[in-house]
């Protein structure tokens, strides 16, 4: 019964649109009018206020890490209930009832899930993968796919836990959908990277 009750709680936490709320309260603007139009940390940074962007990023990570970590480590929930709890904050962010079920891409929230489940063991490879992907590829959705590939490699080599693999599959499905417009464009090297390799050939 406890595990069932945590699922809607995790969804509620994930649905909290901190970027929209803090953008309006602290900056007097709607971050959804910037960039790709999604409520999330990326558009909070696009406001030009790095402090607000950082605050939104930390809150978007924490709103998943807190309920997932509490369920996994404190309540010792496992199996399918834990998978549902881990996925719930991501779905809450993507389909936030506070925004008419029109949420964001859930990248920071997905990172928070891995922090909640493994502290640093999978969140660190995910972060490294995203940063490398951002440095090398466009559009950004392919950076997410690179990060997910890194997580899978760590899972298969180091942490072959069925629960973690199930969460990974769910994240791949959700994040591929939220980044579907990016993925349809195909993967491209950034101009600076292309220039670097062209110099090497010369």
């Amino acid at each position: 019964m406890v595990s069932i009750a945590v699922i809607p709680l995790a969804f509620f936490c994930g649905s909290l649109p901190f970027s929209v709320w803090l953008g309006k309260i602290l900056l007097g603007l709607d971050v959804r009018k910037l960039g790709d139009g999604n409520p999330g940390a990326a558009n909070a940074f696009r406001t030009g206020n790095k402090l607000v962007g950082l605050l939104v990023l930390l809150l978007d990570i924490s709103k998943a890490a807190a309920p997932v970590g509490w369920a996994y480590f404190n309540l010792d929930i496992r199996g399918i209930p834990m998978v549902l709890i881990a996925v719930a904050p991501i779905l809450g962010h993507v389909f936030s009832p506070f925004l008419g079920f029109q949420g964001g891409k859930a990248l920071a929230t997905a990172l928070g899930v891995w922090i909640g489940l493994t502290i640093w063991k999978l969140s660190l490879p995910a972060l490294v993968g995203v940063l490398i992907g951002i440095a090398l590829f466009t559009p950004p959705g392919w950076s997410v796919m690179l990060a997910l590939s890194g997580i899978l490699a760590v899972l298969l080599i180091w942490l072959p836990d069925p629960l973690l693999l199930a969460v990974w599959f769910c994240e791949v499905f959700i994040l591929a959908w939220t980044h579907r417009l990016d993925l349809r464009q195909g993967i491209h090297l950034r101009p600076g990277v292309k220039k670097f390799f062209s110099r090497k050939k010369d």
Side-chain angles (χ1 to χ4, degrees), residues 16-59:
L16 300 174
F18 291 114
S19 63
V20 174
W21 290 345
L22 293 181
K24 290 181 178 179
I25 294 171
L26 299 179
L27 303 175
L29 55 83
D30 189 341
V31 299
R32 291 172 293 182
K33 295 181 179 180
L34 302 173
D36 57 10
N38 284 293
N43 281 344
F45 276 105
R46 289 188 178 104
T47 63
N49 191 310
K50 294 181 180 179
L51 182 60
V52 172
L54 181 60
L55 183 57
V56 169
L57 177 63
L58 293 175
L59 288 171

Side-chain angles (χ1 to χ4, degrees), residues 42-87:
N43 281 344
F45 276 105
R46 289 188 178 104
T47 63
N49 191 310
K50 294 181 180 179
L51 182 60
V52 172
L54 181 60
L55 183 57
V56 169
L57 177 63
L58 293 175
L59 288 171
D60 277 357
I61 291 173
S62 299
K63 70 183 184 181
V68 171
W70 177 58
Y72 190 77
F73 289 104
N74 294 85
L75 301 180
D76 201 32
I77 298 173
R78 295 293 186 272
I80 293 176
M82 189 61 237
V83 174
L84 296 176
I85 292 168
V87 173

Side-chain angles (χ1 to χ4, degrees), residues 88-155:
I90 302 175
L91 292 176
H93 185 89
V94 175
F95 302 105
S96 174
F98 293 99
L99 303 175
F101 298 96
Q102 299 292 320
K105 293 182 176 178
L107 181 57
T109 309
L111 177 63
V113 168
W114 292 120
I115 293 174
L117 289 172
T118 68
I119 311 300
W120 61 271
K121 292 178 181 177
L122 289 175
S123 57
L124 184 58
L127 183 59
V128 170
V130 166
L131 293 177
I132 292 174
I134 290 173
L136 296 178
F137 307 124
T138 60
W142 288 102
S143 304
V144 178
M145 295 300 107
L146 180 64
L148 289 168
S149 299
I151 292 173
L152 180 60
V154 174
L155 282 171

